[in-house]
Amino acid sequence: MHNLRNKFDKISAIVKQFLKNLLDPDGNLPRRSKKPKFSDVEVIALSLLSESLMIDSENCLFKLLHNNYKEQFPNLIERSRFNRRRKQLHHLIEKFRIHIVEQLVKHKNSFLIDSMPLPIVRFSRAKRARICREDYQSAPSFGYCAAHNQPYFGYKLHGVATVNGVMTHFDLSKAHVHDIEYFKDIRHYYPNCTLLGDRAYLSNPLQLELFEENRLFLITPMRRNQKNYQKQPA
């Protein structure tokens, strides 16, 4: 069984060192209200711990802590409060994630880019579904999945990773947004690098623009009906 307390203490120390200029001596962001017993650093560390152990369910995490580590976490807060505070601290968690990624991908210059569909309801129920439609900017839309050769209703997940599988950037968009639109958000993060993508990113004007403005070399397979077609080496 994992020794959660030891891992938790190690992650807490790293987070506290990284965010030392933003936190008080107790590991909390400055606030007017009463200081919590379970500090902000501990909330961040517990969130990162669950992710590192691939525990995706908060219910499973807190059930594990209550059943096996109750004495080692005497100040543990209730699950719903942990959820709310973790959302409030998301900007610090993301800042720490980017810091760790930068350490892991230092001197890397080759990356993979891809996207995947995220349907939220069955296609037959899409027009009746009201989920997430309160705000147009974040509302789902109709899209097409080429891999499964079928339409869907929901979102699209975009991601960039190293060849070894370390995620460097990721984002959500509406399902109808074309894959190449994602380059508007990430192009400045990968100067003098090579990105490997599938045919969804094939665009000669875009590839030329990325190279001239950002020295970003985008490599994609060619379509069979293209002029001067050449099969891409495996």
Side-chain angles (χ1 to χ4, degrees), residues 29 53 55 80 111 159 185 190 195 208 214:
L29 290 174
L53 297 178
I55 303 176
S80 61
F111 299 87
D185 298 328
Y190 298 93
L195 260 67
L208 180 61
N214 305 98

Side-chain angles (χ1 to χ4, degrees), residues 3-21:
N3 192 328
L4 264 68
R5 186 67 214 193
N6 286 346
K7 293 179 182 293
F8 176 82
D9 290 340
K10 290 180 181 179
I11 295 176
S12 297
I14 297 172
V15 173
K16 197 168 187 177
Q17 176 64 26
F18 175 70
L19 300 174
K20 61 182 180 181
N21 295 331

Side-chain angles (χ1 to χ4, degrees), residues 67-84:
N67 291 343
N68 301 307
Y69 297 92
K70 192 170 184 179
E71 294 182 356
Q72 299 182 37
F73 290 87
N75 296 324
L76 184 65
I77 56 178
E78 195 265 332
R79 184 189 63 80
S80 61
R81 289 184 59 197
F82 167 77
N83 196 342
R84 288 195 298 270

Side-chain angles (χ1 to χ4, degrees), residues 191-233:
N192 304 308
C193 291
T194 298
L195 260 67
L196 306 176
D198 57 20
R199 291 183 180 87
Y201 300 95
L202 180 59
S203 171
N204 289 335
L206 173 67
Q207 289 170 288
L208 180 61
E209 179 184 337
L210 291 173
F211 182 77
E212 290 180 344
E213 296 184 5
N214 305 98
R215 288 297 184 265
L216 195 162
F217 192 29
L218 174 61
I219 300 177
T220 64
M222 298 180 68
R223 294 191 176 93
R224 292 182 181 277
N225 59 357
Q226 278 188 271
K227 188 177 181 180
N228 301 322
Y229 167 77
Q230 292 180 354
K231 185 176 181 180
Q232 187 183 40

Side-chain angles (χ1 to χ4, degrees), residues 11-233:
I11 295 176
S12 297
I14 297 172
V15 173
K16 197 168 187 177
Q17 176 64 26
F18 175 70
L19 300 174
K20 61 182 180 181
N21 295 331
L22 302 175
L23 305 171
D24 62 20
D26 296 323
N28 293 300
L29 290 174
R31 65 186 72 193
R32 295 182 179 179
S33 58
K34 184 179 179 181
K35 292 184 179 180
K37 293 182 179 179
F38 200 74
S39 68
D40 292 335
V41 163
E42 290 176 310
V43 172
I44 295 174
L46 187 57
S47 174
L48 295 172
L49 175 65
S50 64
E51 294 290 343
S52 67
L53 297 178
M54 301 181 69
I55 303 176
D56 298 326
S57 168
E58 288 182 2
N59 286 328
C60 291
L61 173 64
F62 276 76
K63 185 177 180 180
L64 177 65
L65 294 175
H66 284 300
N67 291 343
N68 301 307
Y69 297 92
K70 192 170 184 179
E71 294 182 356
Q72 299 182 37
F73 290 87
N75 296 324
L76 184 65
I77 56 178
E78 195 265 332
R79 184 189 63 80
S80 61
R81 289 184 59 197
F82 167 77
N83 196 342
R84 288 195 298 270
R85 289 181 60 191
R86 183 171 69 166
K87 290 179 180 179
Q88 294 170 356
L89 296 169
H90 172 74
H91 64 291
L92 294 182
I93 297 176
E94 180 64 11
K95 187 175 182 179
F96 182 75
R97 185 195 69 82
I98 293 174
H99 168 70
I100 294 297
V101 167
E102 289 175 349
Q103 302 304 310
L104 292 174
V105 304
K106 192 177 293 185
H107 310 305
K108 301 282 186 181
N109 58 7
S110 295
F111 299 87
L112 309 174
I113 184 169
D114 205 355
S115 67
M116 64 176 290
L118 295 178
I120 59 173
V121 296
R122 292 190 178 186
F123 189 76
S124 59
R125 298 179 55 195
K127 292 185 178 180
R128 303 194 306 270
R130 297 265 102 26
I131 184 172
C132 299
R133 287 192 173 184
E134 296 82 5
D135 183 2
Y136 174 78
Q137 297 297 327
S138 59
S141 67
F142 290 94
Y144 181 78
C145 176
H148 294 91
N149 192 26
Q150 63 183 20
Y152 72 97
F153 180 74
Y155 300 94
K156 184 182 290 186
L157 174 65
H158 306 266
V160 182
T162 66
V163 178
N164 296 328
V166 178
M167 293 294 297
T168 55
H169 286 88
F170 55 89
D171 202 356
L172 282 177
S173 73
K174 292 173 177 287
H176 72 270
V177 175
H178 197 284
D179 289 352
I180 61 176
E181 293 294 318
Y182 184 50
F183 279 102
K184 294 180 181 179
D185 298 328
I186 64 165
R187 60 194 301 170
H188 301 294
Y189 293 103
Y190 298 93
N192 304 308
C193 291
T194 298
L195 260 67
L196 306 176
D198 57 20
R199 291 183 180 87
Y201 300 95
L202 180 59
S203 171
N204 289 335
L206 173 67
Q207 289 170 288
L208 180 61
E209 179 184 337
L210 291 173
F211 182 77
E212 290 180 344
E213 296 184 5
N214 305 98
R215 288 297 184 265
L216 195 162
F217 192 29
L218 174 61
I219 300 177
T220 64
M222 298 180 68
R223 294 191 176 93
R224 292 182 181 277
N225 59 357
Q226 278 188 271
K227 188 177 181 180
N228 301 322
Y229 167 77
Q230 292 180 354
K231 185 176 181 180
Q232 187 183 40

